[in-house]
Amino acid sequence: KNDTCCERQRSDMKPLRILVLMHESLVPPPSLEGLTEKEIDEFRTEYDVMTALQNAGHTVRALGLQDNLSDLRNAITEWKPDIAFNLLEEFQSIVTYDQYVVAFLELMRQPYTGCNPRGMMISRDKALSKQILAYHRIPTPGFAVFRRGRRYHLPRRLKFPLFVKSVTEDASLGISQASIVWDAERLKERVEFIHEQTNSDALVEEYIEGRELYVGVLGNERLRTFPVWEMDFGTLPEVMAGIATRKVKWDRRYQQKHGIRTGAAQNLPDGMAAYLDKLSKRIYRALSLSGYARMDFRMRPDGSVFVLEANANPNISLNEDFAESARAAGVEYPALLEQIIRLGCNYQAAWVANED
């Protein structure tokens, strides 16, 4: 199957049979007529990807998954897709379980897009990834993990202000202005909040004040980065600026009210773009990533840079950061999806190596 996929990829992108994996609640309807922007935003990525692939001439089938792999097994064995386009962000309502679905694809010897299971596991565990980055001497904020059900203890080495978030959850879940804490009492309250609201351990790290920068990376062995992107917090008061809360990232009305947007980073210090390019590739390799990812950084006013986290399989809807930065580099959306598919077809999974 992998040979067929790769052969078709090499011959001027002949049409492929593409199985698009997504959460069962995010399967887009045939038409958007009569739907509000807020309703469409729920499945925006799934709709954009499927529409672009269909317009490119591919045969596309959506598969909504919740907690049962038998539907996936049946689709693979009966429909025989050339590749699975992975848009899953969770499985069985657990965000870290999407990596097991990808592992299942490998066991089924099914080519897929996006990150491999090892890279997903490492990058999803923010504490583990920060330990690996620290080992490679890649600058990341000082941190500590507060385990659920364990006695509360504040390490002396951490300096306030501190930022509190879930070790595993993403998409800004659990992040608000209250995530920044300035004393031990507020820290304890916020750690308990994360434990209760996200059912996960809490990651506490030193808060880095400054510009929030993003770098998209594409590739398996040979890597390409896209132009540095930046979150512009618009007219938010200074006390609220600098935190990518859930409202900042996803609330369209809130964004419009405060002029919040992302775009190409302007007026970076000399050499900063080249430094972030090299640093992003180091992070990508250190965390065993493949396919595509987005690196999140903070740059202090003095020009020092810290990596906040690496996001495997970031949002790739048409007008989100990753696709827009690719477009700024001359890679239009259909071409970006084709490159992601090509990387999936050519990824050297263990089963591929055993067949060679």
Side-chain angles (χ1 to χ4, degrees):
K1 182 178 289 160
N2 189 62
D3 289 342
T4 301
C5 180
C6 291
E7 285 168 3
R8 294 191 185 185
Q9 278 286 322
R10 292 189 188 106
S11 52
D12 298 324
M13 264 326 288
K14 286 185 179 178
L16 301 175
R17 294 159 70 87
I18 302 176
L19 184 68
V20 185
L21 309 183
M22 61 194 70
H23 191 277
E24 65 178 6
S25 67
L26 299 179
V27 176
S31 171
L32 302 183
E33 188 174 350
L35 297 178
T36 66
E37 284 293 318
K38 185 175 182 179
E39 291 171 329
I40 296 171
D41 281 343
E42 291 295 316
F43 52 80
R44 175 78 65 180
T45 301
E46 291 74 13
Y47 177 81
D48 287 348
V49 169
M50 289 195 64
T51 301
L53 294 177
Q54 289 167 342
N55 290 342
H58 299 297
T59 302
V60 182
R61 178 181 291 186
L63 179 60
L65 296 172
Q66 165 61 26
D67 58 7
N68 192 337
L69 286 175
S70 62
D71 291 340
L72 177 56
R73 176 190 288 273
N74 293 338
I76 292 171
T77 56
E78 296 173 8
W79 197 56
K80 294 180 170 54
D82 292 302
I83 192 163
F85 202 112
N86 182 25
L87 295 178
L88 284 172
E89 294 183 347
E90 62 180 45
F91 187 68
Q92 296 182 349
S93 300
I94 300 174
V95 69
T96 54
Y97 276 15
D98 58 350
Q99 70 202 38
Y100 300 127
V101 178
V102 179
F104 180 79
L105 292 173
E106 293 216 0
L107 293 177
M108 293 291 292
R109 302 194 170 194
Q110 171 64 59
Y112 57 87
T113 65
C115 191
N116 66 84
R118 176 182 174 85
M120 292 177 74
M121 181 274 290
I122 294 173
S123 61
R124 289 281 195 271
D125 187 329
K126 296 181 177 67
L128 175 59
S129 63
K130 286 170 75 68
Q131 289 171 336
I132 293 172
L133 295 176
Y135 173 82
H136 287 280
R137 298 185 180 181
I138 293 170
T140 186
F143 72 100
V145 176
F146 289 74
R147 308 287 181 188
R148 285 187 300 165
R150 299 277 185 88
R151 185 178 176 183
Y152 179 90
H153 172 69
L154 175 62
R156 291 183 179 180
R157 68 180 184 277
L158 292 183
K159 307 297 183 185
F160 288 100
L162 298 172
F163 191 80
V164 187
K165 60 185 177 182
S166 165
V167 165
T168 54
E169 294 288 347
D170 56 9
S172 297
L173 187 65
I175 294 179
S176 69
Q177 296 301 320
S179 298
I180 298 181
V181 296
W182 296 82
D183 57 57
E185 183 180 353
R186 296 289 185 187
L187 173 62
K188 189 172 187 296
E189 290 176 1
R190 195 63 190 178
V191 166
E192 291 173 351
F193 172 85
I194 291 295
H195 288 169
E196 294 170 6
Q197 293 296 312
T198 68
N199 292 317
S200 66
D201 296 333
L203 177 68
V204 176
E205 62 184 8
E206 293 179 358
Y207 176 65
I208 305 297
E209 187 170 357
R211 298 170 66 176
E212 182 147 318
L213 306 173
Y214 309 128
V215 177
V217 185
L218 188 70
N220 294 333
E221 300 301 323
R222 297 177 59 186
L223 305 182
R224 176 181 185 178
T225 60
F226 295 132
V228 183
W229 230 238
E230 180 172 9
M231 172 71 77
D232 180 349
F233 291 91
T235 61
L236 283 178
E238 187 172 338
V239 69
M240 297 175 66
I243 310 175
T245 64
R246 202 165 183 82
K247 288 177 72 70
V248 166
K249 281 192 173 182
W250 305 111
D251 190 323
R252 188 184 295 269
R253 183 176 297 178
Y254 189 78
Q255 292 169 346
Q256 293 172 346
K257 176 181 177 181
H258 295 285
I260 300 166
R261 58 179 294 277
T262 60
Q266 304 294 323
N267 303 314
L268 290 173
D270 291 343
M272 181 57 66
Y275 172 70
L276 290 174
D277 173 282
K278 184 178 296 185
L279 188 59
S280 296
K281 292 174 180 176
R282 284 183 63 202
I283 296 165
Y284 198 90
R285 293 191 172 102
L287 301 182
S288 301
L289 300 173
S290 61
Y292 60 103
R294 189 193 72 236
M295 309 302 166
D296 296 0
F297 298 98
R298 276 294 174 93
M299 184 181 70
R300 283 176 170 162
D302 65 4
S304 57
V305 170
F306 297 81
V307 58
L308 300 183
E309 58 189 46
N311 296 277
N313 298 355
N315 189 321
I316 52 166
S317 61
L318 177 62
N319 295 314
E320 272 298 315
D321 306 331
F322 194 90
E324 289 197 333
S325 60
R327 192 176 300 118
V331 182
E332 294 297 329
Y333 193 62
L336 175 64
L337 297 186
E338 300 291 3
Q339 289 188 31
I340 289 173
I341 290 171
R342 185 174 291 111
L343 289 167
C345 281
N346 294 333
Y347 174 67
Q348 290 295 302
W351 66 268
V352 177
N354 285 343
E355 287 186 344
D356 291 343

